[in-house]
């Protein structure tokens, strides 16, 4: 193949994006079937479940979602009565978000399903392959962070 042609099927960003999208779509069937959640709603729920009280800006940064997607997800979760907003006492432009008891129940219901879903993928790998894949992902995240400010999982 000519050096001036890019074969997308071998281009790392393309491969990672396709893989991430395929896995994410497959997992979305679980939370969509169970609760009718969209991908941004799930990511917002999961971020709040993990961190407790946080802001929409922090959710966007953590989940790499655009602020309009976070805003819509917050609105939908609030409509379900799964999320509460509280204005910041110092800065009225900031709202602190947290899950309600119903939101916490939904989150706790989905956590074991998410872990089981992940385990099914990792089970297809040997211990060595699993360690290699997870290590490679961390290295790629670190390399992306050096270029873009992206923070690897667990290093934010």
């Amino acid at each position: 193949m000519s050096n001036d042609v890019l074969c997308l099927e071998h281009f790392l960003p393309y491969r990672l994006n396709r893989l991430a999208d395929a896995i994410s779509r497959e997992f979305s069937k679980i939370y969509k079937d169970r609760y009718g959640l969209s991908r941004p709603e799930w990511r917002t729920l999961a971020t709040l479940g993990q961190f407790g009280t946080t802001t929409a800006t922090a959710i966007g940064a953590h989940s790499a979602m655009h602020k309009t997607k976070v805003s819509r997800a917050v609105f939908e979760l609030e409509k379900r009565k799964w999320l509460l907003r509280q204005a910041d006492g110092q800065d009225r432009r900031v709202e602190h978000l947290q899950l309600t008891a119903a939101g916490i129940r939904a989150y706790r219901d989905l956590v074991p399903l998410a872990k089981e879903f992940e385990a099914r993928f990792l089970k297809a790998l040997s211990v060595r392959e699993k360690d290699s894949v997870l290590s490679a992902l961390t290295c790629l995240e670190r390399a992306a962070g050096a270029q873009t400010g992206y923070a690897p999982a667990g290093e934010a």
Side-chain angles (χ1 to χ4, degrees):
M1 182 173 285
S2 169
N3 208 21
D4 61 344
V5 174
L6 176 66
C7 181
L8 275 178
E9 297 79 28
H10 299 126
F11 186 53
L12 182 66
Y14 180 79
R15 292 177 71 189
L16 290 172
N17 186 58
R18 282 185 51 128
L19 179 60
D21 188 59
I23 291 171
S24 193
R25 261 186 294 144
E26 191 63 28
F27 179 57
S28 74
K29 292 175 186 174
I30 293 171
Y31 55 78
K32 186 174 177 95
D33 288 351
R34 199 163 193 109
Y35 289 109
L37 294 171
S38 68
R39 198 178 297 185
E41 290 164 6
W42 156 250
R43 289 180 180 169
T44 299
L45 178 76
T47 302
L48 286 167
Q50 179 180 353
F51 296 109
T53 303
T54 192
T55 65
T57 301
I59 292 169
H62 179 260
S63 61
M65 284 193 296
H66 190 274
K67 62 184 178 182
T68 56
K69 287 190 182 227
V70 175
S71 178
R72 287 184 192 128
V74 165
F75 176 78
E76 290 301 322
L77 293 175
E78 185 179 38
K79 210 163 76 170
R80 288 175 182 254
K81 302 200 183 311
W82 285 8
L83 176 147
L84 291 173
R85 302 176 194 236
Q86 185 174 6
D88 186 277
Q90 316 275 299
D91 186 345
R92 303 299 267 162
R93 297 169 297 176
V94 176
E95 291 181 321
H96 299 280
L97 309 172
Q98 67 183 55
L99 295 178
T100 63
I104 291 168
R105 279 193 302 278
Y107 172 74
R108 288 188 178 151
D109 178 50
L110 288 167
V111 165
L113 300 174
K115 289 182 177 188
E116 181 183 307
F117 179 85
E118 178 186 46
R120 279 198 316 263
F121 276 90
L122 294 177
K123 193 169 139 182
L125 306 173
S126 70
V127 172
R128 187 172 173 201
E129 288 170 330
K130 175 186 163 192
D131 291 345
S132 293
V133 165
L134 297 177
S135 177
L137 283 172
T138 300
C139 290
L140 288 170
E141 288 172 326
R142 200 171 288 121
Q147 294 178 28
T148 66
Y150 171 85
E155 294 183 16

